Amino acid sequence: MDNAQSQREALGAEIERELADGSLNFPTFLEVSQKIQKTLEREDAGLDALVPLIQLEPVLAARVVGLANSVLYAGSGTQVKDVKSAVMRIGHAAVRSLALAVATAQLAHGERLGAARRYATLLWDHSLDVAGWAYAISATFRTVRPDDALLAGMLHDIGQFYLLGKAADYPALLDSESELSDMLLCWHKPIGEAVLKALGMAPELADAVNDRELYGSMWPPASLPDVLMVACLLADTPNPLTLMSEDARTSLRKIVAHGIPDDVLEQLHLDAADERRKALAALAG
């Protein structure tokens, strides 16, 4: 047995223990995001509970203030300089999405990922693309809440991000792309379910992320799983870990887009690209 395979088995055993214990070991910035999600779920959650959590993660704090001062939220108003004022301006929904976006971005661009960083960067691009499409579809047809669709798009591969972060402690595994890819594809679904549960996501959102392959083939997509499935297929950037060939993916995209007027599809494409630009601008501060 070579070193990469033995490290894959060791990581698999570690993941099994975490799933059995229900105690996922989050990187610091994802742990902060987890605490923010749980705080926002509480009916009595207020600024006094939320602001200190955001301030625990300096990158997130800077992005929250930056978003509040962006054209999208500030307009011609005064600039805010503190997290509390920024949260009051952008609202809890934006904080929730931004916290997860910052956490996954930090996972994707972490220097310690080594060979896995290429996967993580491509996976991050894919997540942004899917989120943009999901938001554009739901905002156009209003069959589901656009904010829910955006968050589902951001989270749909969260299990793979978590696994890439764990794999950073197994250098031989990172040096073997085949072993790394096999490990991610094997574990991403149960880990994704566990991560969403740990983050305190609403059951309907978790179900949508986990059941997106059950597309009902109706246009416009009438449920969150359907919106997410369509967004995944129409996105320009594929998941780098998918086993689907580009020819097969192209065929499925044609099936999904069948019957959609070209002008509607083109506008959705433009809207999705615009949402992606907004997300990148928010992350840039």
Side-chain angles (χ1 to χ4, degrees), residues 16 18 25 28 47 70 72 86 93 178 183-184 186 207 244 255 261 266 269 281 283:
E16 284 185 331
E18 289 190 5
N25 183 21
T28 302
L47 289 175
S70 68
L72 180 64
S178 61
M183 185 275 296
L184 291 169
C186 174
D207 290 344
M244 188 184 301
I255 292 172
E266 179 60 26
H269 201 168
L283 289 169

Side-chain angles (χ1 to χ4, degrees), residues 208-283:
V209 170
N210 292 324
D211 296 336
R212 63 184 183 275
E213 60 272 6
L214 303 178
Y215 176 45
S217 301
M218 295 180 62
W219 186 263
S223 67
L224 190 53
D226 282 358
V227 168
L228 190 54
M229 178 62 175
V230 171
C232 286
L233 289 173
L234 292 179
D236 296 311
T237 52
N239 183 314
L241 298 163
T242 184
L243 295 176
M244 188 184 301
S245 68
E246 187 56 34
D247 287 344
R249 186 168 174 271
T250 298
S251 296
L252 282 175
R253 291 182 74 181
K254 289 180 179 178
I255 292 172
V256 169
H258 179 72
I260 305 174
D262 289 342
D263 60 333
V264 173
L265 190 60
E266 179 60 26
Q267 187 59 53
L268 287 173
H269 201 168
L270 293 172
D271 291 346
D274 187 49
E275 284 304 315
R276 178 185 172 89
R277 283 192 294 271
K278 288 179 183 177
L280 288 172
L283 289 169

Side-chain angles (χ1 to χ4, degrees), residues 162-232:
Y162 180 86
L163 289 167
L164 285 170
K166 299 289 290 184
D169 294 325
Y170 295 83
L173 180 59
L174 292 182
D175 289 336
S176 173
E177 292 195 359
S178 61
E179 290 286 353
L180 178 63
S181 180
D182 287 346
M183 185 275 296
L184 291 169
L185 290 170
C186 174
W187 286 106
H188 81 95
K189 185 165 184 177
I191 280 291
E193 292 173 355
V195 170
L196 289 173
K197 182 178 179 180
L199 288 172
M201 292 294 102
E204 58 269 21
L205 189 145
D207 290 344
V209 170
N210 292 324
D211 296 336
R212 63 184 183 275
E213 60 272 6
L214 303 178
Y215 176 45
S217 301
M218 295 180 62
W219 186 263
S223 67
L224 190 53
D226 282 358
V227 168
L228 190 54
M229 178 62 175
V230 171
C232 286

Side-chain angles (χ1 to χ4, degrees), residues 13-204:
E14 181 181 349
I15 293 167
E16 284 185 331
R17 287 194 299 271
E18 289 190 5
L19 289 174
D21 296 342
S23 55
L24 300 182
N25 183 21
F26 286 105
T28 302
F29 38 82
L30 194 55
E31 183 179 0
V32 172
S33 181
Q34 175 196 25
K35 291 177 180 178
I36 288 171
Q37 309 309 316
K38 289 188 173 182
T39 299
L40 289 172
E41 291 295 324
R42 297 196 336 241
E43 292 184 2
D44 62 343
L47 289 175
D48 290 341
L50 185 60
V51 170
L53 289 176
I54 296 173
Q55 291 173 331
L56 285 174
E57 175 44 60
V59 175
L60 175 60
R63 298 300 180 259
V64 167
V65 174
L67 182 60
N69 288 322
S70 68
V71 174
L72 180 64
Y73 286 96
S76 58
T78 59
Q79 296 277 298
V80 298
K81 298 180 180 180
D82 62 281
V83 172
K84 184 175 182 178
S85 298
V87 173
M88 291 176 64
R89 178 174 287 180
I90 69 176
H92 286 185
V95 169
R96 181 177 66 167
S97 296
L98 190 57
L100 288 164
V102 168
T104 50
Q106 288 179 274
L107 272 175
H109 299 103
E111 293 293 339
R112 65 194 292 266
L113 288 180
R117 188 174 181 184
R118 180 178 69 86
Y119 278 133
T121 300
L122 292 172
L123 188 61
W124 171 240
D125 289 342
H126 170 68
S127 295
L128 279 181
D129 201 356
V130 171
W133 273 98
Y135 187 91
I137 292 168
S138 56
T140 298
F141 298 105
R142 295 289 171 176
T143 53
V144 301
R145 284 165 38 99
D147 285 342
D148 289 346
L150 180 71
L151 190 58
M154 289 297 306
L155 289 174
H156 79 283
D157 283 325
I158 190 67
Q160 292 180 11
F161 280 112
Y162 180 86
L163 289 167
L164 285 170
K166 299 289 290 184
D169 294 325
Y170 295 83
L173 180 59
L174 292 182
D175 289 336
S176 173
E177 292 195 359
S178 61
E179 290 286 353
L180 178 63
S181 180
D182 287 346
M183 185 275 296
L184 291 169
L185 290 170
C186 174
W187 286 106
H188 81 95
K189 185 165 184 177
I191 280 291
E193 292 173 355
V195 170
L196 289 173
K197 182 178 179 180
L199 288 172
M201 292 294 102
E204 58 269 21

